[in-house]
Amino acid sequence: MIYFGMQLIETIKTGNWFVFELFVLYVFFVWFMKFIPSRMYKTIDSKNRMHNASVVIPVLNEDPKLFLKSLQSITANEIIVVIDANETNTEIETIARGYADIVINSRYAGKRINLMEGIKKAKNDIIISMDSDTVLSKEAYHNMLVPFNDKLVGGVTSRQHIIHPERNLISKFCEWMENVRFSISMPAQSVFGSIGCLPGRAIAFRKSIIMNHHDHFIKQKFLGKICDSGDDRVITGYCLHDGYKTVFQNNSVVYTDCPSKWKAFMQQQLRWARSSQRETILSVKWLWRRPYTFFVFVTDIITPIAFAFVVVYSIYNFIMGNHYFDIPLWLAGIMGLVGMNISLGIRQYPHLKDNIDDLKYLPLYVLFMTFIMTPIRIIGLLTCYRTGWMTR
């Protein structure tokens, strides 16, 4: 931000524009395009609740204690557990039979096909797809169903938090990212009725929508390879493509686990990046009809690439001795670190205003977002043809 300020002043004086200056302006433009609509969001409030929904939970390699806690948190009148063919822990089935109305020992391996196995058995018109490590808050189930009083609503997502975010740095940063996501991006997209990805830890959708796309859902291919990950983004795409609204219900709160090791965390994030970029590419031909969502996802691809270009361009100019400002390298480094903290810190406002103690972690979070999350997004785009799950 400091260097940006110097360049901005120079632009005002001379009319010369700088690559880094343009990038910063672009980043804040994108942020304001999300932040301003997010302030207009209102939770959908109604006393007329949907009566019933079927909860479908595919399960594989889950911690039995967390799986039990997940099942105990559900207040639905129908719970369907689908046990993956590769599941070897017999305790999972024992726990499932103690709480679920239907337990399916699937012949298949893979989340999508097993999710569909459960959906086909469901008796209700609304499906709640849940991960086996997701725990619902007391009112989450009922509040998630309220938006379906509007017949144009096809899918709903809840506010999501990390279980015990104080465990380590990974869980803290995961909670931080979720908090910002569900304070800015989700409510902003919801204002337009077009959330581009209903995060799959706990989402509700109309059964008829996915049944209309049954074959595509379980047989989807990308560059000749069957896709299993990214089920939440695909279901969201069906809702939007078919003309339904997808919305965020802030008073429906769920809690979910996150990886405790860096390797598993990065594998998870890479899988998400790959499926997200893949689905953006596949949906471009119709997503433009949802202009705001199109803007969000296209800039999601452009931003990390633009950042990489600015870094490479800056290094090239330094090596070639093209310095517009005569600043020693050590001072430029300090200015860069301070500026990054100011820039990203401003954009973390929704999280920091409620978690002021996290301000001391901001320098680490800046490095985390810059040198871990940004490269993962780029690698995800370049390797989006890989459809493996990796973390299960």
Side-chain angles (χ1 to χ4, degrees), residues 22-38:
L22 292 172
F23 175 72
V24 173
L25 290 172
Y26 159 80
V27 167
F28 272 94
F29 168 74
V30 171
W31 183 75
F32 274 113
M33 287 292 289
K34 297 176 183 178
F35 182 77
I36 293 173
S38 73

Side-chain angles (χ1 to χ4, degrees), residues 49-73:
R49 295 174 169 174
M50 294 292 299
H51 294 293
N52 298 309
S54 298
V55 177
V56 180
I57 309 175
V59 59
L60 171 66
N61 295 342
E62 191 55 80
D63 172 27
K65 291 182 180 178
L66 187 54
F67 180 50
L68 173 61
K69 192 173 181 179
S70 175
L71 291 175
Q72 290 174 334
S73 72

Side-chain angles (χ1 to χ4, degrees), residues 172-173 175-180 183-184 347-359 365:
K172 175 175 283 295
F173 286 171
E175 170 68 11
W176 191 325
M177 288 190 294
E178 294 299 328
N179 203 5
V180 172
S183 296
I184 298 180
R347 287 175 280 139
Q348 305 307 302
Y349 164 76
H351 175 78
L352 293 175
K353 74 180 180 67
D354 296 326
N355 301 272
I356 194 64
D357 288 345
D358 281 354
L359 194 60
Y365 187 74

Side-chain angles (χ1 to χ4, degrees), residues 11 13 18-20 42 93 105 125 130 139 141-142 155 172 174 187 203 220 226 244 280 292 349 372 378 386 391:
T11 297
K13 288 180 178 179
F18 302 87
V19 171
F20 177 73
K42 293 182 179 179
E93 182 178 352
N105 286 294
D125 296 330
M130 264 180 62
E139 293 297 318
Y141 168 76
H142 291 293
K172 175 175 283 295
C174 283
I203 61 172
Q220 183 194 22
I226 289 287
Y244 288 93
T280 297
Y292 188 76
Y349 164 76
I372 294 180
I378 296 172
R386 296 183 180 179
T391 54

Side-chain angles (χ1 to χ4, degrees), residues 250-279:
N250 191 49
N251 63 358
S252 176
V253 182
V254 306
Y255 298 86
T256 187
D257 201 13
C258 71
S260 58
K261 303 293 184 182
W262 283 107
K263 181 180 178 181
F265 167 78
M266 288 190 283
Q267 288 176 330
Q268 178 199 65
Q269 295 297 317
L270 181 57
R271 185 184 77 241
W272 289 354
R274 284 172 174 168
S275 61
S276 175
Q277 316 283 34
R278 180 187 72 229
E279 292 306 318

Side-chain angles (χ1 to χ4, degrees), residues 8 15 57 76 83 86 88 100 108-109 119 126 132 137 158 164 194 199 211 214 217 227 241 278 298 303 308 364:
L8 186 61
I57 309 175
I83 302 174
N86 288 331
T88 58
Y108 306 107
I119 291 172
I126 303 297
S132 53
S137 63
S158 302
H164 301 308
S194 58
M211 293 308 295
H214 175 281
F217 184 67
C227 303
H241 178 272
R278 180 187 72 229
V298 170
T303 302
L364 278 178

